[in-house]
Amino acid sequence: MEPALINGIPAHALLVHLVVVFVPLTALALVVCAAWPPVMRRFGLALPLLALVTLVSVPLTTSAGEWLEKRIAQNVLVARHADLGDGLLPWAVGLFVLSAALWWFYRRAYPATPSFGGGRGSAAGVSIPLRATSVVLCLAVAVGAVVQVYRIGDSGAKATWNNRFSAAAGDNRG
């Protein structure tokens, strides 16, 4: 079942807001959790669940966009927006995989204890090179995902609003 209309409005125009909010939010949470273990311990399962919601929102929005694309006049701007939109799924998969891996790693490194400190699972047991590598990898995927969302949004705004408004107030083009 392809999404079509929600309350008479193309579903893509509404679902795109999920992607615009959840991709940067997931990217930020991923980087913060990778860089600061105490934050990751507090986030817990919420990080991969957030990334899962983000991952699911991308194909839903893309599918709704493909439905809409078949029902509007084609031009270069719409084609560019659609091409860029198709490139977001790998970034969303990357956010999800890294979020799940980070959660799994910290779950093993910091077992559930009342104090999170001392003994098994203490910060001393975490390899600094491994932490640094995970931070760099998470940062690279997070930045790539956010940049891709920006590029898609910019192209979508241009496709939607190109020559459809006047910069001068009161100049109605019809």
Side-chain angles (χ1 to χ4, degrees):
M1 182 177 123
E2 278 187 75
L5 300 173
I6 299 174
N7 253 4
I9 297 176
H12 181 71
L14 300 172
L15 293 172
V16 72
H17 293 89
L18 292 174
V19 172
V20 168
V21 169
F22 281 114
V23 169
L25 184 63
T26 303
L28 177 63
L30 177 63
V31 171
V32 169
C33 286
W36 291 283
V39 174
M40 182 62 226
R41 289 191 304 267
R42 284 199 170 270
F43 248 79
L45 191 56
L47 180 64
L49 290 176
L50 176 63
L52 181 61
V53 169
T54 301
L55 177 60
V56 169
S57 72
V58 170
L60 282 175
T61 304
T62 303
S63 177
E66 290 169 354
W67 179 91
L68 181 59
E69 183 182 17
K70 295 173 188 169
R71 288 156 179 83
I72 60 173
Q74 290 298 303
N75 62 48
V76 175
L77 296 174
V78 171
R80 173 150 173 78
H81 176 65
D83 287 344
L84 287 170
D86 289 339
L88 184 58
L89 187 58
W91 292 106
V93 168
L95 288 173
F96 175 72
V97 167
L98 287 174
S99 294
L102 198 63
W103 170 77
W104 182 83
F105 174 77
Y106 277 102
R107 183 170 163 83
R108 291 182 49 99
Y110 298 100
T113 61
S115 66
F116 286 120
R120 186 171 170 251
S122 67
V126 176
S127 163
I128 290 175
L130 181 61
R131 262 191 59 211
T133 302
S134 71
V135 169
V136 169
L137 185 58
C138 290
L139 186 60
V141 171
V143 168
V146 171
V147 166
Q148 186 68 9
V149 166
Y150 171 81
R151 293 175 66 216
I152 295 164
D154 182 61
S155 69
K158 287 177 181 172
T160 301
W161 293 103
N162 189 44
N163 294 324
R164 298 207 179 146
F165 70 96
S166 172
D171 181 16
N172 296 322
R173 291 182 164 201

